[in-house]
């Protein structure tokens, strides 16, 4: 593990729930580490495997895919689709040799700002233990 | 490199503009916007952008139907491959099927530090040996397994069947724990950098393992190792397709195949057939199974029609139509099962047969199986 390693996280957050939760965490002045970059998507169900793979290709250390709870979806069954995508991706990433904890799937409702901050805290902690992603070196060499 | 260099290298200037390529091209039959002759003409007239920035450049299946027909021996698929390299340099990459996951995985595999978990499917019933000088190439199968589950295709099932057959022939092959994608798709979509890296990784591992022979269940890997690797990496081993491996052992080592009553037809994969000229081995294997009745499709052998997509790029309605027509041809033989020797043919055909779209109801719901699956079932006690 690198000394002073700060993991980079990309979080795909659904417009209706998790993005609002992140907003709530911010407006309520909750503290969570600044290692996360949020990408707002309309629904967690629209997160395609390629978004995650491309992000890993780009050298991020961890990815969070978060959206509404199962019955809260604005588009009826987005979280079900999201679960399917993430489960498939987990298998693919496992074969590739990436640790399971680098991809996290959460359901965070708009009112759960506390949970959002907690998830990010946990992720940063986990990723610090894991160290940089094996795909990191490539990006740093490019920069 | 610019288009002029590619023209000098691949010599399409011998083109007589006879149009045989376009008239025989399986893509042009369904997609009037795709024309090999037109593409060559544009290149020769200096309309570089019409060739390089044209999305149709990635529609070519590189199936080698056109090249044998060409009176001037223009190697259109290689011209397309080189032009795709130029297109990639200009930010064009075709429309990748499955949202480009497979291309992305190939790029991720170029990383030297990854430690893949690619052999977790091995179980007690499979016999492998780390001292063997015969290698079974697993290739992309562990990645295909989750990705193509929704078209009801098990790529690992093909590998397991290949292994089982090799075992019953008394061969315990070696498997590499960290082999990479062979780079076939990267090469044919013009991503030469990724291809070169993958080839180097694989060659280094194979040299280190001291392998003398590699057996492939996938014709694309076979083609890449046999025809493309020698130009890039030093490898000193024999390569063989599963069908050839079995065919040369029929009647010798006493491979006992039990009776399997089935009427089947065989799809020649373009890489195995037209690229490498292997037509007889798979047929010999099929005929050696008692009870198998092989009926040929109208287009068989060198005239065989492609499954509709190659290198997971530009899969569109035309590809689907091509696939559906090929399946109709297979059904017209009266066969109950379509046998292929290529995992990618199988993903594409299964995609067409599991498609529940209203307008595609007419696609015959044939059983589709790999040659290895059929042989392994017949070796079972």
């Amino acid at each position: 593990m690198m000394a002073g390693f700060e993991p980079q996280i990309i979080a795909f957050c659904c417009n209706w729930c998790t993005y609002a939760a992140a907003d709530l965490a911010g407006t309520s002045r909750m503290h969570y580490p600044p290692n996360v970059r949020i990408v707002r998507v309309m629904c967690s169900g629209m997160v395609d495997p390629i978004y995650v793979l491309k992000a890993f290709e780009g050298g991020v250390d961890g990815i969070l895919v978060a959206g509404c709870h199962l019955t809260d979806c604005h588009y009826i069954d987005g979280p079900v689709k999201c679960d399917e995508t993430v489960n498939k991706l987990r298998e693919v990433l496992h074969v590739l040799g990436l640790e399971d904890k680098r991809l996290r799937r959460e359901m965070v409702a708009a009112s759960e700002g506390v949970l959002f901050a907690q998830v990010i805290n946990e992720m940063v902690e986990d990723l610090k233990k894991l160290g940089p992603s094996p795909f990191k070196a490539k990006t740093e060499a490019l920069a | 490199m610019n288009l002029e260099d590619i023209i000098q290298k691949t010599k399409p200037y011998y083109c007589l503009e006879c149009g045989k390529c376009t008239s025989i091209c399986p893509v042009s039959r369904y997609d009037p916007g795709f024309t090999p002759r037109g593409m060559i003409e544009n290149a020769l007239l200096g309309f570089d952008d019409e060739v390089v920035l044209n999305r149709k450049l990635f529609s070519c299946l590189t199936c080698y139907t056109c090249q044998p027909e060409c009176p001037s021996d223009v190697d259109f698929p290689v011209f397309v491959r080189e032009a795709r390299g130029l297109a990639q340099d200009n930010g064009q990459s075709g429309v990748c099927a499955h949202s480009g996951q497979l291309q992305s995985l190939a790029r991720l595999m170029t990383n030297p530090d990854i430690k893949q978990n690619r052999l977790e499917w091995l179980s007690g019933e499979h016999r492998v040996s780390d001292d063997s000088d015969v290698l079974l190439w697993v290739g992309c199968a562990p990645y295909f397994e989750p990705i193509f589950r929704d078209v009801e295709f098990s790529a690992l099932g093909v590998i397991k069947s290949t292994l089982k057959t090799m075992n019953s022939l008394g061969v315990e092959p070696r498997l590499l724990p960290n082999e990479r994608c062979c780079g076939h798709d990267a090469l044919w979509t013009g991503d030469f950098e990724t291809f070169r890296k993958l080839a180097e990784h694989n060659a280094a591992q194979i040299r280190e393992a001291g392998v003398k022979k590699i057996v492939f269940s996938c014709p694309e890997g076979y083609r890449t190792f046999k025809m493309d690797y020698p130009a890039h990496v030093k490898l000193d081993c024999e390569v063989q397709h599963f069908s050839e491996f079995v065919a040369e052992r029929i009647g010798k080592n006493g491979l006992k195949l039990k009776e399997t009553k089935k009427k089947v037809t065989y799809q020649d994969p373009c890489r195995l057939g037209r690229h490498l000229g292997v037509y007889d081995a798979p047929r010999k294997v099929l005929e050696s199974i008692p009870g198998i009745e092989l009926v040929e499709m109208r287009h068989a052998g060198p005239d065989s029609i492609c499954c509709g997509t190659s290198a997971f790029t530009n899969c569109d309605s035309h590809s689907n139509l091509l696939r559906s027509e090929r399946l109709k041809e297979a059904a017209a033989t009266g066969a109950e099962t379509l046998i292929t020797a290529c995992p990618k043919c199988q993903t594409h055909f299964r995609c067409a047969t599991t498609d529940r779209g209203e307008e595609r109801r007419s696609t015959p719901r044939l059983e589709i199986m790999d040659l290895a699956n059929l042989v392994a079932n017949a070796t079972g006690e």
Side-chain angles (χ1 to χ4, degrees):
Chain A
M1 200 178 87
M2 251 191 254
F5 161 65
E6 286 296 335
Q8 276 181 330
I9 302 169
I10 298 273
F12 293 102
C13 296
C14 118
N15 176 60
W16 308 100
C17 290
T18 313
Y19 194 77
D23 238 2
L24 181 62
T27 47
S28 326
R29 312 243 178 230
M30 280 168 208
H31 282 275
Y32 64 87
N35 305 49
V36 61
R37 304 285 178 278
I38 297 178
V39 178
R40 181 170 63 126
V41 290
M42 285 312 283
C43 175
S44 56
M46 68 161 282
V47 175
D48 192 279
I50 193 64
Y51 298 179
V52 173
L53 292 175
K54 268 266 170 80
F56 279 125
E57 251 187 83
V60 300
D61 301 293
I63 291 169
L64 168 70
V65 183
C68 305
H69 286 268
L70 276 178
T71 48
D72 287 352
C73 181
H74 208 81
Y75 309 101
I76 303 166
D77 56 0
V80 180
K81 264 182 94 174
C82 183
D83 278 344
E84 275 173 24
T85 309
V86 170
N87 289 340
K88 214 187 238 190
L89 257 172
R90 272 194 205 292
E91 282 184 63
V92 171
L93 293 175
H94 176 72
V95 179
L96 199 58
L98 269 187
E99 298 88 346
D100 279 355
K101 284 194 171 160
R102 292 199 189 272
L103 175 63
R104 186 159 172 164
R105 161 87 175 107
E106 283 296 334
M107 293 177 192
V108 183
S111 56
E112 295 175 316
V114 183
L115 179 61
F116 182 81
Q118 188 193 328
V119 166
I120 300 298
N121 271 313
E122 283 173 14
M123 262 195 103
V124 171
E125 217 168 279
D126 287 342
L127 291 171
K128 277 190 174 166
K129 276 184 210 144
L130 285 177
S133 141
F135 303 111
K136 192 111 184 158
K138 198 175 142 198
T139 14
E140 276 164 7
L142 283 174
Chain B
M1 187 175 283
N2 58 31
L3 202 59
E4 182 56 32
D5 296 335
I6 294 171
I7 291 170
Q8 292 307 328
K9 193 172 155 194
T10 60
K11 303 185 174 47
Y13 44 68
Y14 289 127
C15 172
L16 303 171
E17 296 182 23
C18 67
K20 277 189 169 181
C21 47
T22 303
S23 64
I24 202 163
C25 174
V27 181
S28 303
R29 193 172 306 155
Y30 299 105
D31 182 0
F34 179 82
T35 139
R37 177 177 65 169
M39 224 174 257
I40 292 282
E41 206 179 341
N42 277 332
L44 294 172
L45 290 173
F47 300 136
D48 294 18
D49 288 357
E50 291 288 317
V51 180
V52 174
L53 303 181
N54 187 345
R55 263 176 39 190
K56 298 277 181 207
L57 178 63
F58 287 87
S59 291
C60 173
L61 300 168
T62 59
C63 69
Y64 270 96
T65 311
C66 54
Q67 192 262 348
E69 301 302 320
C70 178
S72 311
D73 204 20
V74 173
D75 197 336
F76 185 69
V78 168
F79 168 79
V80 161
R81 186 171 86 186
E82 297 299 318
R84 283 175 182 177
L86 197 56
Q88 290 271 5
D89 295 342
N90 286 287
Q92 290 279 320
S93 60
V95 180
C96 299
H98 308 282
S99 63
Q101 287 176 69
L102 298 135
Q103 283 85 351
S104 177
L105 284 169
R107 287 193 298 271
L108 285 167
M109 271 187 259
T110 57
N111 188 301
D113 304 327
I114 53 167
K115 289 178 188 65
Q116 300 171 78
N117 304 305
R118 42 183 308 131
L119 298 177
E120 285 182 355
W121 50 271
L122 273 174
S123 67
E125 57 174 324
H126 308 114
R127 294 198 308 276
V128 293
S129 154
D130 281 342
D131 307 319
S132 176
D133 55 5
V134 179
L135 175 73
L136 169 63
W137 188 257
V138 177
C140 301
Y143 294 97
F144 281 8
E145 189 69 19
I147 294 174
F148 295 118
R149 195 170 291 138
D150 53 0
V151 294
E152 294 156 21
F153 170 54
S154 169
L156 281 178
V158 177
I159 295 290
K160 285 177 194 163
S161 297
T162 309
L163 187 51
K164 189 179 166 200
T165 313
M166 287 175 91
N167 284 166
S168 45
L169 282 162
V171 180
E172 291 183 9
R174 183 182 179 134
L175 302 181
L176 291 179
N178 212 8
E179 68 185 26
R180 308 297 211 275
C181 159
C182 67
H184 172 278
D185 291 358
L187 178 68
W188 287 95
T189 45
D191 187 356
F192 303 140
E193 183 63 18
T194 300
F195 169 72
R196 194 185 46 74
K197 285 185 190 159
L198 292 169
E200 280 166 7
H201 279 308
N202 286 327
Q205 287 182 49
I206 291 166
R207 278 197 301 264
E208 197 185 321
V211 170
K212 297 229 172 59
K213 182 192 243 172
I214 313 176
V215 178
F216 293 86
S217 64
C218 169
E220 298 198 340
Y222 180 30
R223 190 223 126 95
T224 310
F225 269 76
K226 194 164 185 175
M227 299 172 83
D228 303 313
Y229 272 23
H232 295 267
V233 287
K234 211 182 138 335
L235 259 188
D236 194 21
C237 50
E238 190 194 344
V239 287
Q240 217 174 22
H241 185 253
F242 166 75
S243 62
E244 295 175 299
F245 183 84
V246 177
E248 68 180 24
R249 283 167 178 77
I250 289 170
K252 274 191 209 160
N253 298 24
L255 176 66
K256 282 193 189 64
L257 296 171
K258 66 175 183 198
E259 189 167 12
T260 313
K261 277 236 171 293
K262 239 181 186 81
K263 194 172 175 187
V264 303
T265 184
Y266 175 69
Q267 160 78 10
D268 286 278
C270 52
R271 263 60 186 165
L272 192 61
R274 280 183 297 270
H275 284 234
L276 294 157
V278 180
Y279 299 109
D280 299 334
R283 290 182 168 78
K284 196 176 159 197
V285 174
L286 281 172
E287 276 156 8
S288 72
I289 306 172
I292 289 286
E293 187 194 340
L294 175 66
V295 280
E296 295 287 358
M297 284 185 260
R298 196 173 137 237
H299 297 95
D303 298 332
S304 170
I305 294 171
C306 176
C307 63
T309 310
S310 89
F312 291 113
T313 304
N314 273 27
C315 179
D316 54 18
S317 60
H318 309 296
S319 324
N320 224 325
L321 206 55
L322 176 56
R323 211 166 283 155
S324 169
E325 290 303 313
R326 182 60 170 165
L327 283 165
K328 279 178 196 159
E329 210 173 87
T333 61
E336 54 189 300
T337 307
L338 174 66
I339 302 291
T340 100
C342 176
K344 290 205 183 160
C345 285
Q346 209 182 145
T347 50
H348 300 140
F349 282 133
R350 278 184 187 255
C351 175
T353 54
T354 49
D355 190 335
R356 282 161 187 90
E358 192 67 43
E359 69 278 18
R360 303 227 174 77
R361 285 275 160 77
S362 60
T363 305
R365 299 293 190 245
L366 273 174
E367 183 190 24
I368 301 162
M369 216 188 225
D370 196 275
L371 181 65
N373 296 137
L374 189 74
V375 176
N377 289 347
T379 55
E381 283 82 40

